[in-house]
Amino acid sequence: MPIRSEALATHLAKDLAPIYLIHGDEPLLVGEAADQVRAAARTAGYGAREVFDAGPAFEWQALQTAARNLSLFSERRVLELRLASGKPGVEGAKCLQAYAEDPAPDTLLLIVSPKLERSAQSSRWFKSLDDAGVVVQLYPIAVRDLPRWIQARMRSRGLQPEAEAVRLLAERVEGNLLAAAQEIERLALLHGKGPLSAPLVAESVADSARFDVYKLADSALAGDAARSARILAGLRAEGDGTTLVLWALAREVRLLVSMAYDVAEGQRAEQVLAAHRVWESRKALYRAALGRSDRESWVALLRLCARADRAIKGLAAGEPWDLLQQIGMGVAGADLHLTSEAGSGT
């Protein structure tokens, strides 16, 4: 039975299910959901706990043996399976399906995993676990939702933050939820319960933003030039390679050039997006980008990508990071007047 993460606490206050599968992209949220299950199990009298790390060399027979062996003192117990890769393999799939069809008595099986891909969620072993127990999928906190998450977490620790304090912390820790949680704990210890101002946050919080090239591409496609510039600065400061950053930006530019040609030929945007197999969740980003710039602008940006590639390889003049900044701003919609100069090697 799938349940939303917000409903987990209410569910756990009732009778516990024999199986819990918790998976998601964000380790902090997955870990905290698993902590809720462990705490509820302890409260319900599950006194014993055995942990299995299902890495590449894991022998699934160990889990089967543990499931068959009742506790020496007949106490309730938790079997915790940490599915490191999210892929149990053929043997693991058979083991999990068999367990789900006949769960061990007085036992709670807790499975913790990274996000399971769509193929895994369509498998027999996953559906068997879903039928026999509870599945909780944790989703990353979207950028637009991060301030609300930070504010709620601060208040749960007794802090009463100003809106500017929440905004500042969100900007400093964007892309690193664990850092956000740690900073909130530290702020609570340093300042105790009560009002929290932006200057206090500025003094206390280090810049823990962890950006990646995918967030850069998405913010540029969305037309957010300021955030794109901040992400680029973060990537540069963290020492990320220029080649990887160029790959992420050039990939989007090439796709937009192709789609812009189709649109210029008279095809409707929806037809073009479908033809290029753009995921539903990303269509709005590409619609916005196509609406901002015409075909010639995207072609000019593609020439600038080629120039940046030559600069990175030492075959053309120019500072690679400056060129990447121009590309990122161009994708975001800044008017860079690139048509006549982007192809230049100087």
Side-chain angles (χ1 to χ4, degrees):
M1 173 182 69
I3 66 170
R4 296 174 60 86
S5 58
E6 310 90 87
L8 181 59
T10 302
H11 162 83
L12 291 172
K14 304 172 184 177
D15 291 337
L16 296 180
I19 299 170
Y20 288 87
L21 169 57
I22 298 173
H23 70 109
D25 283 322
E26 182 51 65
L28 174 70
L29 301 181
V30 170
E32 290 185 340
D35 284 342
Q36 289 185 63
V37 175
R38 295 183 194 107
R42 286 194 298 272
T43 300
Y46 289 79
R49 177 168 167 251
E50 194 171 351
V51 178
F52 302 89
D53 286 300
F58 180 64
E59 295 189 7
W60 288 91
Q61 185 65 37
L63 179 63
Q64 293 174 318
T65 300
R68 285 195 298 265
N69 293 340
L70 295 177
S71 171
L72 210 57
F73 302 101
S74 299
E75 65 177 335
R76 289 178 163 184
R77 61 194 176 143
V78 173
L79 299 180
E80 182 170 332
L81 177 68
R82 297 172 181 173
L83 198 57
S85 67
K87 297 177 181 179
V90 175
E91 184 184 358
K94 290 179 180 178
C95 177
L96 291 172
Q97 185 175 345
Y99 186 97
E101 291 170 354
D102 185 22
D106 294 321
T107 301
L108 186 152
L109 175 62
L110 171 61
I111 305 170
V112 182
S113 169
K115 179 186 175 183
L116 297 173
E117 299 301 328
R118 187 179 298 275
S119 58
Q121 296 187 45
S122 300
S123 65
R124 288 185 178 180
W125 64 268
F126 179 92
K127 291 179 179 178
S128 296
L129 294 171
D130 191 22
D131 290 341
V134 168
V135 173
V136 183
Q137 181 170 355
L138 284 303
Y139 297 91
I141 304 297
V143 172
R144 65 179 180 276
D145 296 327
L146 184 59
R148 184 165 60 249
W149 183 87
I150 287 174
Q151 183 179 57
R153 198 172 183 95
M154 282 182 165
R155 287 178 174 171
S156 73
R157 302 304 189 270
L159 297 168
Q160 299 169 19
E162 297 175 351
E164 185 63 17
V166 173
R167 186 201 64 77
L168 179 60
L169 181 57
E171 182 176 298
R172 292 288 181 90
V173 300
E174 183 185 333
N176 192 341
L177 210 60
L178 179 59
Q182 291 172 338
E183 293 294 357
I184 291 169
E185 295 300 328
R186 192 159 69 90
L187 286 165
L189 287 172
L190 287 172
H191 304 293
K193 297 181 179 181
L196 182 68
S197 66
L200 286 176
V201 172
E203 290 173 9
S204 303
V205 179
D207 193 340
S208 303
R210 174 171 55 83
F211 298 113
D212 61 40
V213 294
Y214 299 105
K215 292 186 177 68
L216 169 62
D218 285 356
S219 65
L221 287 172
D224 192 338
R227 182 170 179 250
S228 300
R230 196 167 72 248
I231 293 175
L232 271 165
L235 289 167
R236 186 174 187 175
E238 290 176 7
D240 285 62
T242 51
T243 301
L244 182 61
V245 176
L246 177 60
W247 168 82
L249 291 172
R251 181 184 63 169
E252 303 299 347
V253 173
R254 281 193 297 271
L255 180 57
L256 285 161
V257 167
S258 180
M259 289 195 290
Y261 265 94
D262 292 341
V263 170
E265 292 297 317
Q267 294 187 42
R268 292 187 298 105
E270 288 304 316
Q271 290 177 308
V272 173
L273 293 169
H276 287 272
R277 299 181 180 179
V278 174
W279 291 351
E280 191 65 37
S281 61
R282 296 179 59 78
K283 284 183 178 180
L285 291 174
Y286 290 105
R287 282 194 208 98
L290 288 169
R292 281 194 306 271
S293 302
D294 57 20
R295 178 177 61 184
E296 287 70 25
S297 298
W298 293 119
V299 171
L301 270 178
L302 190 58
R303 292 196 190 103
L304 187 60
C305 290
R307 180 182 168 193
D309 181 57
R310 293 195 299 273
I312 289 169
K313 294 172 180 176
L315 302 176
E319 163 54 46
W321 280 107
D322 290 343
L323 295 170
L324 292 172
Q325 177 87 358
Q326 291 184 57
I327 296 167
M329 296 303 95
V331 175
D335 185 3
L336 302 177
H337 304 291
L338 296 173
T339 305
S340 62
E341 63 190 55
S344 172
T346 60

